[in-house]
Amino acid sequence: MAARGHVQDPNDRRLRPIYDYLDNGNNKMAIQQADKLLKKHKDLHCAKVLKAIGLQRTGKQDEAYALAQEVAALEPTDDNSLQALTILYREMHRPELVTKLYEAAVKKVPNSEEYHSHLFMAYARVGEYKKMQQAGMALYKIVPKNPYYFWSVMSLIMQSISAQDENLSKTMFLPLAERMVEKMVKEDKIEAEAEVELYYMILERLEKYKEALDVVRGKLGEKLTSELQSRENKCMAMYKKLCRWPECNALSRRLLLKNSDDWQFYITYFDSVFQLIDESWTPPPEEEHSLEGEVHYSTEQAVKFIEERITEESKSSRPLRGPYLAKLELIRRLRYRGCNDEYKLGDPEELMFQYFKKFGDKPCCFTDLKVFVDLLPSSQYTKFISQLLAVIPLSAAAEGELALPSDIKALQQHLCVVQLSRLLGIYHTMEKKQKLAVVRELMLRYRHGLEFGKSCLKTELQFSDYYCLLAVHLLLDLWLEGEETAVWQCLTLLEEGLSHSPSNAQFKLLLIRIYCRLGAFEPVAELYSSLDAKHIQHDTIGYLLTRYAEALGHYAAASQSCNFALRFFHSNQKDTSEYIIQAYKYGAFEKIPEFIAFRNRLNSSLHFAQVRTERMLLDLLLEANISTSLEESIKSMSLSPEEDDIPWNDLRDNRDLTVLFNWDPKDRDISEEHKKLSLEEETMWLRIRSLTLRLVSGLPTLSHTIQPKNSEKTAENGVSSKIDTIRSLLQQLEVAVDSGKKFLEQKIQYPVLGPPPTRMAGFFSNGSCQCQTSLFYLVSDIYELDTNGLEDSAEIQERIGNSFKSLVERLTDLFNKCKGDLIEVRDGTLKTHPSLLENLVFFVETISIALWVSSYCDSVLRPFKSNLQKKKKKKKESSLAMPPVFTHFLDYVTELQTLTSNVIDHIKGLEIILTALKLEELSLKDTLLLEEEKKFTKTVQGKVQSSYHHSVQEIGELLKKRLDTIKKLKI
C-alpha cells in the first residue's frame, strides 16, 4: 500500500501517516490519525476508507462496512479512495462490491484507460465473463491495444467453458471468438505469441484440427517460441487428433534424431509404427512419405532405428537412458502383440542386466527397471538378482563378515538390487527367521552407509536411508502376520533413521501411519508439522491427520488440524482470482481455464467436505450447551437442516494414496480397485456424518412455541415443516446406514500402507449408530407429544418412556465396550487397544447428542409442568395426578447422570493405570535390539504412553463438562 502516485498532491502528504500505521499493523493509531484528519477535512473520502480498513482489521466489521458504503454512495473518482476501497472490499471477501465501484467511476470518467482496466479485473475476480467481454471491447475502443482486444476474445472462450449447454458453446461463443481473431489475422494485426496460442486454443475447442495445424505450421506458428519444441508438440497433438500416423511417425523420428533421450517421442514413435502396421500402410510411389519426411511402417525398421540410437548413444559424451529403455519398451509391445520378432532385440534379462551395469549407481535405475520386470519369467527372479549382485564391488573386512560397499556408487547399486528383490517378491516368500536376518543385515548396511553421509546437511537425506525403510517394510509384514513385537521395532528403526536424517519425509509419513494404527496421536501432530505441508498438500495428505485426531480423543489437535485445512481451502478462492488476473495481464491465456478447473476441483474435494463437516460436529461437541447454547452455536455456523452444501455428484478424491514409497509386487500393492472402494467408503461415512450434523442443527428449530393441534396456523408458522425435514433426514440416515452396513459386509482389507479405513465399522459395531438413530426418533415422538398435549397422549407417553429405558440400556452397552486396558503388557511386550479409545470417543459424542435431545425434551416438558402447577393452584387440588412422562424423563436424566459419573470414574482409573505403567521394566531382552536401539524403543513407548494419557485426559475433561449440563436438566 505504501507506493502512492502523485507526490505533489497535498492530500497524499496528509494521508501518508495513516498508510504507514496500516502498513505496520498499528490499526488503532491509524483510526485515531484518520479521525484527526477528518475533523479538519470532512470531505477527504480516502481518510474515511482508511479508517474503515483499520476498523475492519480490529474486528469491527459492521462499522467498517457502514463507513465504506457512505463513501461508495458518493461514487468517488479519486485514485486514492478507489484503491483503498478495493483493498477493504477484498479483506471483507466482497469482490462484487469492487465492480459497482468502478462501474460508477467509468460512467463519470468514460475515457480513463486505468478505470476501465480496473473494472475488467474486478469482473474477472467474480467471474462475470459476459461483462468482461464488454469491458474489454470498451477498453479497446478507447485505447486500441491488442491485449485489450484479446481480453475480450478470452472472455468469450470463458463463456463457452462455463456455459451449461455445450451446443450453445460450439455454435455461438467459440465461432464468435474465432471470427474476432480471424479479423485480426486478415488485417495482419497479430503481434504476440499469446495471440497465436489463443487462436490455436479456439480452433482446438471447435475441433477444427486441420485449421489449427495450418496455423501452427504457417507463418503465425513462427511466433511460438517461448517453450521448447512448442510448435512440434502442437503439430504432434493435431496429427494424433486427425489420426495422421505417417506424420506422427516421421515427426517423432525426426525429433528423436535430434534428442534420443526424449521419452515422450519414443512412445509416439511406437504408437504410430504399430498403427501403420495395423493399417498395412505403404508409402505413396514417387512422392514424399509424408509432410514431415520419411516414415517407418514395419517392425524391422523400428528395431533397426532403436539399434541405431543405441550405437549413437555409445558415442555421446554422457550416457543416455532413453535408447536402452526404448529397446525394452519395444520388446514389451511386441510380446503384448504376440509378434515373434522380439528375439531380434535380444533377451530382456540380459538387456536389463546390461542396463544395471551401466546405470545401477543412479537412484533412478530401480524406477526405470520396475516398469519392465514383468518381462522376466518368475522362475528366473533369483538367478537375475544373483547375477546383479555378482557385479557389485563389495568387500568384507574379515572372513565370515558382511561384504559392504566401499563407495557411494557401490552402495547405490546394492540398494537398487535390494529394492528389486522386494519388488520381485523374494522377501515375501521367506520364513520369519530369514526375514529377521534380512532386517538385521539391512540395518547393518544402513549404519555402515551413514559414514558416506557425514558431511550431509540436516536438510539432505542420507545415502542409505532406503535400507532402513526396506527393513521397516519387512517388519510390517511380520506384524501383519501376528508378530506383535515387530511394530515396536518398526517405530524404533524409524525414530533412529529420523535422528540421522531429520528431513526424510518418508520416515515421518511412515511413523505417522504406524503411530495412528497404534492409537497414539500425540507424536503425529509434531511429525506432520515438521513435514511443513504446503498449499495443495493440505488436501492431498491432510487426511493422514484429520482421520485420526478426533477419533483418538485429541480434540484440541483435531480442531487445529481442521483449521489448517480449512484455511487453505478458503484462501484458494481468493488466490485463484489473483492468478487469473495475472494470467490476463501477462497474456498466459491457456492457463486461465486450468486455474478455473483447479479451483473447481478443490471446491468439490472430498477432504474439504469431510473437514467442514467434522469441524462443525467437533465445535458443537466442545461448545454446544457448555460455553454457548446449542442454538447460538448452530446460528454462528449458519447451519440449517434443509441445506446440504456438499456436491455429492462431483466429489473429487484428491488424496495422494501413493505418497508412501512402496516396493511391493503388484498383487500386494494398492490397486485402482482399492482406491475406488476407499472413495465409496469415505463418501458413505461422510453422508452419515453430514446427516447427523443436519439432524442436530434441526433441534433448536423445533423448540419454538407451537400452536395447538387444531389451529390452522401450524403449517404457516413453519414448525410442522421443520419436523417433516427432521423426519425426512432420519429416513435418509437409515438408508445411508443400511448401505454402509452392506458395504462393510464385503470385509475389505486395504494394504497396510494403503488408504486408512473410515470410522464406520466401529460406529456400527459398538452400538453408537443405533443409539444416535434412536435419539433422533425420540425427537419425533417428543414433538408429537408437544402438538397433541398431555391429555390424550397416553400411548405416546408410554412410547417415550420405553425409548428412555432402551436408550439407557444401549448407552450402558456402549460404555461396556469401552472397558478394558488401553495399553497392556503381555509377555514383556506392549499391546495397545486403540478400538477402546475410539469407542470412548463415540460414547462422548453419543452422550452429547443425548443431552441436546434431552434439552429439547426439557424445553417441551417445562411449560407443561408449569401449566399443571397453575391448574393445581386454581383448583386447590393436591391429588391432580402427574402424567407418567415426567417421571420417565426424571428417571432417564438421573440414570444418564449416574452413567456419565461411572464413565468419568472409569476414565480416572485409566489415567491412574497409564501413569503407573512402568515401561522401564519391560524386558528389552530381545536379541535383535542393539544398545542404541533400546534408547529409541524407550522413547517410542514413552510417546505412546503419553499420547494415551493425553487422550484420556481430554475425554475426561469433556465428559465432566457434559455432566454439569446434565445436572441442570431437572424439570
Side-chain angles (χ1 to χ4, degrees), residues 149-366:
Y149 186 84
F150 284 93
W151 284 4
S152 188
V153 175
M154 185 64 214
S155 305
L156 269 170
I157 297 177
M158 290 315 296
Q159 283 179 71
S160 89
I161 291 171
S162 59
Q164 300 298 318
D165 180 0
E166 199 177 326
N167 196 27
L168 185 70
S169 155
K170 288 204 170 161
T171 54
M172 189 173 107
F173 297 124
L174 288 171
L176 179 55
E178 184 190 10
R179 284 201 300 277
M180 283 178 75
V181 182
E182 277 173 356
K183 178 175 176 282
M184 296 296 265
V185 174
K186 279 172 191 161
E187 292 171 11
D188 200 19
K189 285 186 181 172
I190 297 279
E191 294 167 0
E193 180 180 3
E195 295 158 13
V196 181
E197 291 269 10
L198 196 57
Y199 192 18
Y200 174 79
M201 188 154 101
I202 295 166
L203 293 169
E204 192 182 13
R205 284 177 182 274
L206 278 168
E207 295 175 14
K208 292 187 172 181
Y209 304 130
K210 171 80 179 66
E211 290 82 343
L213 187 63
D214 294 342
V215 168
V216 179
R217 285 181 61 90
K219 192 181 164 200
L220 288 175
E222 290 167 15
K223 293 188 188 294
L224 300 170
T225 52
S226 66
E227 272 180 49
L228 201 63
Q229 293 172 335
S230 167
R231 212 170 165 184
E232 287 87 345
N233 284 330
K234 284 183 169 57
C235 282
M236 191 77 85
M238 291 304 102
Y239 288 142
K240 281 181 186 171
K241 295 272 189 197
L242 292 163
C243 294
R244 286 170 63 170
W245 299 113
E247 278 79 7
C248 259
N249 180 277
L251 179 57
S252 52
R253 187 189 137 276
R254 206 176 74 225
L255 291 165
L256 284 170
L257 289 172
K258 266 193 209 169
N259 174 9
S260 61
D261 210 28
D262 200 327
W263 187 250
Q264 59 170 335
F265 296 129
Y266 279 114
I267 299 299
T268 316
Y269 175 77
F270 292 141
D271 285 345
S272 56
V273 165
F274 290 118
Q275 285 284 353
L276 293 170
I277 291 171
D278 292 343
E279 291 169 13
S280 312
W281 185 87
T282 50
E286 300 168 21
E287 279 180 48
E288 274 269 10
H289 277 201
S290 73
L291 280 177
E292 298 286 351
E294 191 192 330
V295 176
H296 287 172
Y297 50 94
S298 68
T299 314
E300 288 75 19
Q301 284 172 307
V303 170
K304 185 168 175 253
F305 179 67
I306 297 300
E307 292 290 6
E308 282 169 5
R309 298 288 60 71
I310 290 176
T311 315
E312 284 292 310
E313 189 279 336
S314 58
K315 296 173 192 168
S316 85
S317 55
R318 67 183 183 90
L320 303 174
R321 290 147 52 217
Y324 298 96
L325 293 172
K327 200 172 191 179
L328 287 163
E329 175 66 22
L330 184 53
I331 291 177
R332 189 168 65 175
R333 289 188 179 222
L334 288 169
R335 189 176 287 188
Y336 176 72
R337 293 167 65 85
C339 295
N340 296 325
D341 294 340
E342 61 167 280
Y343 68 88
K344 295 174 184 170
L345 287 148
D347 174 24
E349 187 183 339
E350 180 57 29
L351 290 173
M352 286 162 87
F353 174 60
Q354 293 303 330
Y355 186 83
F356 174 80
K357 275 168 68 173
K358 202 167 178 66
F359 300 103
D361 58 342
K362 303 276 184 290
C364 58
C365 182
F366 168 73

Side-chain angles (χ1 to χ4, degrees), residues 72-103:
L74 300 168
E75 300 185 347
T77 54
D78 64 297
D79 203 23
N80 283 338
S81 301
L82 289 169
Q83 285 201 10
L85 275 167
T86 304
I87 289 165
L88 176 62
Y89 288 148
R90 239 188 263 170
E91 287 184 16
M92 286 178 165
H93 304 297
R94 299 285 302 274
E96 70 283 359
L97 296 175
V98 181
T99 59
K100 292 184 181 137
L101 200 61
Y102 279 104
E103 278 167 4

Side-chain angles (χ1 to χ4, degrees), residues 10 26 178 426 521 701 733 742 749 753 829:
N26 196 342
E178 184 190 10
I426 291 171
F521 187 78
T701 60
L733 182 63
K742 276 194 191 118
Q749 282 290 320
L753 300 176
T829 54

Side-chain angles (χ1 to χ4, degrees), residues 549-818:
E550 185 190 350
L552 298 172
H554 282 258
Y555 297 119
S559 222
Q560 203 179 3
S561 57
C562 288
N563 281 349
F564 276 150
L566 288 175
R567 205 174 300 140
F568 158 67
F569 284 114
H570 293 317
S571 70
N572 155 55
Q573 282 291 359
K574 198 172 69 186
D575 294 349
T576 314
S577 303
E578 295 309 313
Y579 305 152
I580 291 166
I581 283 168
Q582 294 306 319
Y584 270 109
K585 275 187 186 167
Y586 296 107
F589 296 122
E590 75 279 10
K591 293 291 167 216
I592 295 169
E594 288 176 27
F595 287 138
I596 305 270
F598 176 71
R599 177 166 67 194
N600 295 343
R601 182 169 178 174
L602 284 181
N603 287 342
S604 48
S605 156
L606 165 76
H607 184 57
F608 182 27
Q610 287 171 324
V611 171
R612 253 191 348 246
T613 308
E614 290 297 344
R615 174 66 220 249
M616 290 193 267
L617 278 167
L618 183 63
D619 282 353
L620 292 178
L621 191 64
L622 299 177
E623 289 163 18
N625 288 355
I626 294 177
S627 54
T628 56
S629 71
L630 178 65
E631 189 170 0
E632 283 168 12
S633 297
I634 285 167
K635 197 175 166 190
S636 72
M637 295 177 195
S638 315
L639 265 175
S640 147
E642 294 86 2
E643 284 173 25
D644 183 6
D645 61 349
I646 296 173
W648 294 106
N649 297 330
D650 303 317
L651 275 182
R652 292 291 298 266
D653 185 2
N654 297 333
R655 295 173 301 162
D656 183 354
L657 297 173
T658 53
V659 66
L660 285 152
F661 286 170
N662 205 338
W663 297 274
D664 286 341
K666 262 191 189 146
D667 56 330
R668 286 168 169 264
D669 204 356
I670 176 172
S671 64
E672 286 308 311
E673 183 64 14
H674 287 134
K675 291 178 187 176
K676 195 170 119 250
L677 288 166
S678 172
L679 173 60
E680 200 180 323
E681 183 182 347
E682 293 286 353
T683 310
M684 283 175 184
W685 178 236
L686 175 61
R687 203 177 283 277
I688 291 171
R689 299 298 279 170
S690 166
L691 288 166
T692 306
L693 177 65
R694 288 168 66 195
L695 279 162
V696 170
S697 74
L699 288 175
T701 60
L702 300 175
S703 324
H704 301 308
T705 47
I706 287 177
Q707 304 288 333
K709 64 173 174 178
N710 37 11
S711 155
E712 288 172 17
K713 287 188 182 171
T714 317
E716 285 169 37
N717 67 15
V719 177
S720 72
S721 63
K722 298 281 185 202
I723 193 68
D724 293 342
T725 306
I726 297 274
R727 285 172 183 157
S728 148
L729 289 173
L730 246 176
Q731 282 176 332
Q732 291 175 47
L733 182 63
E734 288 283 12
V735 172
V737 165
D738 283 345
S739 55
K741 284 178 176 166
K742 276 194 191 118
F743 180 85
L744 290 174
E745 280 167 14
Q746 301 173 61
K747 294 196 165 42
I748 294 152
Q749 282 290 320
Y750 300 112
V752 65
L753 300 176
T758 63
R759 298 165 66 196
M760 191 159 65
F763 182 61
F764 293 154
S765 64
N766 63 27
S768 305
C769 176
Q770 295 83 333
C771 274
Q772 293 186 14
T773 319
S774 318
L775 281 161
F776 294 124
Y777 275 115
L778 175 62
V779 171
S780 180
D781 288 343
I782 298 278
Y783 178 84
E784 219 172 304
L785 176 72
D786 199 4
T787 40
N788 291 345
L790 291 175
E791 284 74 30
D792 44 0
S793 59
E795 190 194 329
I796 300 174
Q797 291 191 40
E798 191 182 340
R799 205 161 68 222
I800 291 171
N802 292 338
S803 295
F804 283 148
K805 275 184 197 147
S806 79
L807 268 168
V808 172
E809 283 167 18
R810 281 182 170 160
L811 282 164
T812 311
D813 278 352
L814 175 51
F815 170 43
N816 289 334
K817 287 184 178 152
C818 303

Side-chain angles (χ1 to χ4, degrees), residues 465-476:
D465 277 352
Y466 279 9
Y467 281 128
C468 184
L469 273 177
L470 283 153
V472 170
H473 279 238
L474 275 165
L475 287 167
L476 281 175

